[in-house]
Amino acid sequence: MNDFRYQAPTRYNFGRGAENKVGAEALAEGMTRVLVVYGHNSAKRSGVLDRVLASLDGAGIFHTEMGGIDPNPTDDRVYEGIDIVRANNLNGVIAVGGGSVIDTAKAIAGGAVYDGDFWDFWAGKAVMDKALPVGVVLTIPAAGSEGSGNSVITKKDGMHKISLRTDTALRPRFALLNPELTFTLPPYQTAAGIVDMMAHIFERYYSPTPDVEVTDRIAEGLLRAIIDMAPRVMANPADYEARANIMWAGTQAHNGVCGCGRVEDWASHGLEHELSALYGVTHGAGLAVVNPAWMTYATSKNPAKVAQMARRVFDVTEEDDTRAALEGIRRLRAFYRSIGMPVTLADLGVENPDIETLVRNVHVNKGTPFGGYIKLYPEDSRAIYTLMLDAR
Amino acid sequence: MNDFRYQAPTRYNFGRGAENKVGAEALAEGMTRVLVVYGHNSAKRSGVLDRVLASLDGAGIFHTEMGGIDPNPTDDRVYEGIDIVRANNLNGVIAVGGGSVIDTAKAIAGGAVYDGDFWDFWAGKAVMDKALPVGVVLTIPAAGSEGSGNSVITKKDGMHKISLRTDTALRPRFALLNPELTFTLPPYQTAAGIVDMMAHIFERYYSPTPDVEVTDRIAEGLLRAIIDMAPRVMANPADYEARANIMWAGTQAHNGVCGCGRVEDWASHGLEHELSALYGVTHGAGLAVVNPAWMTYATSKNPAKVAQMARRVFDVTEEDDTRAALEGIRRLRAFYRSIGMPVTLADLGVENPDIETLVRNVHVNKGTPFGGYIKLYPEDSRAIYTLMLDAR
């Protein structure tokens, strides 16, 4: 086990009607003038935005709103938000939405208290150690941003999508998790969210660090819980108990507890990023294609951890590591298919992938080699993209 | 899943030499004048106390010391500590030790900023919402107090042992976890600590709340990790990796994550408390006797969750719930025996237990009925104590 430093101070309120506590929670964090960030119509249509604003009004908190945050949120909205915060002397940011909205809110909160260009942090030119307090009302369980110190923002000029990871500066002060708010998510988005949270666990699980048994077992347990609950949410979108488990799993998947004491991998996110950039595929759906392909390739290099996953998550009983690993990957793909997710590039709608461009771009963005469990050089990345053509 | 509120803000520094960070960590929490609380000779003999004091000196932090904290720490030392804090205008408390030392430090920290008698909080006459900041250098992994908001103190007058649970007021601001500090723990203490952390998980795991799959899987994973690592620490006390996993598991076992979303049980702790009070047995050793007996009785009332534990933690394949549960309990007892722990009252050295007194006392202290998974009336408690006579 490697040395580590870990702190996850976010205060969670979980349950029905949690969004109505936003006023009291914000006041407890000293927020008296806030920017409320949200996405598109669903927050308004569902009534959750109205309830959030009513709760803030009830607590006497001044608020102004910024809506229309898109998936893969961009720096222009962050600059806009920083301007609003400064013009109105705001002292907190409330996100009502999923990862894109939360990440935008975080970037605004960090940028508003910095004299330079907020992008300095994402560009690695400055280290963020403070931000305005951020509160979250979660409506999409997937990205795990409600409990993480991370924020992924895309610079429109050049479309650089960069993930900033802070220890605690960008961890939300509080997150309000009401599973009922997720009842109306479309099936494809529900499933893509499930793949996304599983990928957050896999990226930490596949590690070259030995003897991280506690962290492994937590990761495996979360994967099992997600896999058990997924069919229920797909069959009955209003299954509160299953939605609740998926929601809480998504938070635990990305709050860092699955990474304690080890080197992480994150190669699959790099490989998927290029698919999203070149072909516009949904991040979670792309990961459903990338993760099993990466695991298949990793099995050829170092089957041990893939076999452990197969045995502990999918109850594979094969004694040979390689066979066990491949059987586990087969079951993982079958699971993804069962929730309507793609498992090949063709399933994703990418019929003639430009693998050479994908390989070139991923090494430009991630460097050479990249990855934690196995190191990927261009020939490795090329082999993994090729494995996405076929899912036998 | 029940609604819940959860916040575990403690900052962990985990790894070799972690205790040398105490000065910097204390300063980061605004501590400039601290009381260092510790136990008996081991903290001095091992050199850890010297290293802690040197780190505080290096950070320019004024300190005064209070040693000699006993197991089952008492209110008199808390009053003494509060007096020292006030007389010296201290603004923080550092615990160097295990649960007893940490719980004393917490009680001092809470009492020092309260105008009344600190015992008011333990007696339920006041609600603690603030305390001086507490930092921990952990030397005994068992109680989990380094990450919890709890403190167990015994009032000498009448020997009332009461556990106070706060949301966050008593959660340490930081905890420094160096597995090397546990290499010299005697085998019996190591094993009793392992039983204690497993019991903290069981008390939360045995719940009447259905559909808490994420929390269940985390709990089961921690139990498996502990059971996997325990033989290594017993065989080789200086196995860093195994010690590290046991240490981190002990923190996770009691920081509340295993209780999220459900009613907890805690009957076994109540039953064990009376054994410790009447016969002076070590808490962890007593739990090794109580937990399986309680599970055996619970199986007769509601075998489902015990069977789930048997299948998921001990890989029992029996289809019948009662048979599966009993086989799981058998394997749990075999595990406890394998690490040198008692499984009957006779093993504990209690040859002729006064069961009627135990039953009377537990219902005086816990009320009637008590327990979460099953409700215990005096006839149930009597049956469970009787089951401790024999471990077939």
Side-chain angles (χ1 to χ4, degrees):
Chain A
M1 195 186 300
N2 294 346
D3 295 354
F4 64 91
R5 183 181 163 96
Y6 179 63
Q7 185 175 25
T10 304
R11 180 170 60 250
Y12 300 104
N13 270 279
F14 193 102
R16 292 180 175 88
E19 67 274 19
N20 299 314
K21 296 178 181 166
V22 65
E25 291 287 325
L27 267 191
E29 294 299 331
M31 306 187 195
T32 53
R33 301 175 62 83
V34 301
L35 175 64
V36 178
V37 182
Y38 62 96
H40 288 275
N41 291 327
S42 67
K44 281 191 179 172
R45 203 174 46 230
S46 68
V48 63
L49 186 64
D50 284 344
R51 293 199 294 282
V52 164
L53 300 182
S55 176
L56 293 171
D57 286 336
I61 295 173
F62 173 83
H63 53 84
T64 183
E65 293 88 54
M66 183 176 96
I69 304 301
D70 292 317
N72 299 312
T74 47
D75 59 341
D76 55 328
R77 303 308 307 275
V78 177
Y79 290 115
E80 180 188 339
I82 291 171
D83 287 345
I84 297 174
V85 165
R86 289 177 176 163
N88 293 277
N89 260 317
L90 306 183
N91 58 15
V93 186
I94 305 289
V96 182
S100 301
V101 168
I102 303 169
D103 287 2
T104 302
K106 286 175 172 179
I108 293 167
V113 294
Y114 178 63
D115 286 339
D117 179 353
F118 95 91
W119 189 255
D120 287 353
F121 299 112
W122 276 254
K125 293 182 191 164
V127 175
M128 189 184 292
D129 59 2
K130 63 180 180 197
L132 293 180
V134 172
V136 171
V137 176
L138 185 65
T139 62
I140 307 171
S145 186
E146 68 278 9
S148 80
N150 304 10
S151 168
V152 186
I153 301 292
T154 298
K155 192 173 181 62
K156 266 194 142 170
D157 176 17
M159 292 310 280
H160 294 298
K161 181 177 176 179
I162 296 183
S163 177
L164 173 68
R165 182 190 280 210
T166 68
D167 273 355
T168 54
L170 287 186
R171 291 205 190 246
R173 300 289 183 90
F174 63 87
L176 308 176
L177 311 181
N178 176 358
E180 288 184 323
L181 301 184
T182 71
F183 287 0
T184 52
L185 285 174
Y188 192 80
Q189 197 171 6
T190 296
I194 285 168
V195 176
D196 195 14
M197 57 184 75
M198 290 176 70
H200 291 154
I201 302 169
F202 285 136
E203 297 284 24
R204 295 174 167 95
Y205 183 73
Y206 287 110
S207 166
T209 313
D211 276 327
V212 196
E213 192 64 10
V214 170
T215 305
D216 269 0
R217 290 288 188 182
I218 292 172
E220 291 155 353
L222 291 172
L223 288 168
R224 292 198 73 127
I226 294 166
I227 292 166
D228 285 350
M229 290 291 160
R232 285 173 56 175
V233 299
M234 299 312 293
N236 176 10
D239 182 331
Y240 179 89
E241 299 292 342
R243 287 283 193 189
N245 276 283
I246 292 291
M247 193 172 219
W248 189 229
T251 302
Q252 295 290 325
H254 203 45
N255 70 358
V257 74
C258 290
C260 285
R262 59 181 167 200
V263 170
E264 304 180 1
D265 190 79
W266 295 98
S268 293
H269 266 71
L271 294 163
E272 196 292 315
H273 171 57
E274 304 309 328
L275 289 178
S276 285
L278 202 56
Y279 300 110
V281 305
T282 303
H283 177 57
L287 286 165
V289 177
V290 172
N291 269 151
W294 178 90
M295 287 184 212
T296 303
Y297 190 73
T299 299
S300 72
K301 298 287 182 182
N302 184 2
K305 200 68 183 274
V306 192
Q308 178 180 311
M309 185 283 295
R311 293 179 183 124
R312 294 186 180 180
V313 178
F314 287 103
D315 294 325
V316 171
T317 55
E318 277 282 355
E319 284 192 17
D320 176 75
D321 271 3
T322 297
R323 283 193 206 175
L326 295 177
E327 175 60 18
I329 296 163
R330 195 192 64 74
R331 294 186 193 185
L332 175 64
R333 282 203 177 104
F335 167 74
Y336 286 158
R337 277 200 193 94
S338 76
I339 60 171
M341 283 285 103
V343 296
T344 65
L345 290 173
D347 292 346
L348 264 179
V350 181
E351 289 295 345
N352 292 299
D354 181 353
I355 288 180
E356 286 313 309
T357 297
L358 291 165
V359 171
R360 192 166 56 244
N361 290 353
V362 75
H363 285 277
V364 166
N365 285 324
K366 299 285 287 183
T368 301
F370 68 98
Y373 182 67
I374 54 171
K375 298 284 175 203
L376 301 186
Y377 292 83
E379 61 266 32
D380 306 303
S381 303
R382 187 177 298 111
I384 295 169
Y385 280 121
T386 304
L387 283 164
M388 297 177 206
L389 298 172
D390 193 359
R392 269 172 307 189
Chain B
M1 197 186 298
N2 295 345
D3 295 355
F4 64 91
R5 184 180 163 96
Y6 179 63
Q7 185 174 25
T10 303
R11 180 170 60 250
Y12 299 104
N13 270 280
F14 192 102
R16 292 181 176 87
E19 67 273 20
N20 299 314
K21 296 177 181 166
V22 65
E25 290 288 325
L27 267 192
E29 294 299 331
M31 305 186 195
T32 53
R33 300 175 62 83
V34 302
L35 175 64
V36 178
V37 182
Y38 62 96
H40 288 277
N41 291 327
S42 68
K44 280 190 178 169
R45 201 173 48 229
S46 69
V48 62
L49 187 64
D50 285 344
R51 293 199 294 284
V52 165
L53 299 182
S55 176
L56 293 171
D57 286 337
I61 294 174
F62 172 83
H63 52 84
T64 182
E65 292 87 55
M66 183 176 95
I69 304 301
D70 293 316
N72 298 313
T74 46
D75 59 342
D76 54 328
R77 303 309 306 276
V78 178
Y79 290 115
E80 180 188 340
I82 291 171
D83 287 346
I84 297 174
V85 166
R86 287 177 177 164
N88 294 277
N89 261 319
L90 307 182
N91 58 15
V93 186
I94 304 288
V96 183
S100 302
V101 169
I102 303 168
D103 286 2
T104 302
K106 287 175 172 179
I108 293 168
V113 295
Y114 177 62
D115 287 336
D117 179 355
F118 95 90
W119 189 254
D120 287 353
F121 300 112
W122 276 254
K125 294 181 190 164
V127 175
M128 191 185 290
D129 60 1
K130 64 179 180 199
L132 292 180
V134 172
V136 171
V137 176
L138 185 65
T139 62
I140 307 172
S145 187
E146 68 277 10
S148 80
N150 303 11
S151 168
V152 186
I153 301 292
T154 297
K155 192 174 181 60
K156 267 196 142 170
D157 177 16
M159 293 307 280
H160 293 299
K161 182 176 176 180
I162 295 183
S163 176
L164 174 68
R165 183 190 279 210
T166 68
D167 273 356
T168 54
L170 288 186
R171 291 202 188 249
R173 299 291 182 88
F174 63 86
L176 308 177
L177 311 181
N178 176 358
E180 289 184 322
L181 301 184
T182 71
F183 286 1
T184 52
L185 284 175
Y188 193 80
Q189 197 170 7
T190 296
I194 286 168
V195 176
D196 195 14
M197 55 184 76
M198 290 175 71
H200 290 153
I201 302 169
F202 284 136
E203 297 283 24
R204 293 174 167 94
Y205 183 71
Y206 288 110
S207 167
T209 314
D211 276 326
V212 195
E213 191 67 9
V214 169
T215 305
D216 269 0
R217 289 288 188 184
I218 292 172
E220 290 155 355
L222 291 172
L223 288 168
R224 292 198 74 127
I226 294 166
I227 292 165
D228 284 350
M229 290 292 159
R232 285 174 55 176
V233 299
M234 299 312 295
N236 176 10
D239 181 332
Y240 179 88
E241 299 292 343
R243 287 283 191 188
N245 277 282
I246 293 290
M247 194 172 218
W248 189 228
T251 301
Q252 295 290 325
H254 203 45
N255 70 359
V257 74
C258 290
C260 285
R262 59 180 165 200
V263 170
E264 304 180 1
D265 191 78
W266 295 98
S268 294
H269 267 70
L271 293 162
E272 196 292 313
H273 171 57
E274 304 310 327
L275 289 178
S276 285
L278 202 57
Y279 300 109
V281 305
T282 303
H283 177 58
L287 286 165
V289 177
V290 172
N291 268 152
W294 178 91
M295 287 183 212
T296 305
Y297 191 72
T299 300
S300 72
K301 298 287 183 182
N302 183 2
K305 200 67 183 276
V306 192
Q308 179 179 310
M309 185 282 295
R311 293 180 182 124
R312 294 186 180 179
V313 177
F314 287 103
D315 294 326
V316 171
T317 55
E318 277 281 355
E319 284 192 17
D320 176 73
D321 272 2
T322 297
R323 283 193 206 177
L326 294 176
E327 175 60 18
I329 296 163
R330 194 191 66 73
R331 294 185 192 183
L332 176 63
R333 281 204 178 102
F335 167 74
Y336 286 158
R337 276 202 195 92
S338 76
I339 60 171
M341 282 286 105
V343 297
T344 65
L345 289 173
D347 292 345
L348 264 180
V350 181
E351 290 294 346
N352 291 299
D354 181 353
I355 289 180
E356 286 313 307
T357 297
L358 291 165
V359 170
R360 195 167 53 242
N361 290 354
V362 74
H363 285 278
V364 166
N365 284 324
K366 300 284 287 184
T368 303
F370 68 97
Y373 182 66
I374 54 170
K375 297 284 174 201
L376 303 186
Y377 292 83
E379 61 267 31
D380 306 303
S381 303
R382 188 177 296 112
I384 296 169
Y385 280 121
T386 303
L387 282 164
M388 297 177 206
L389 297 172
D390 193 358
R392 268 173 306 190

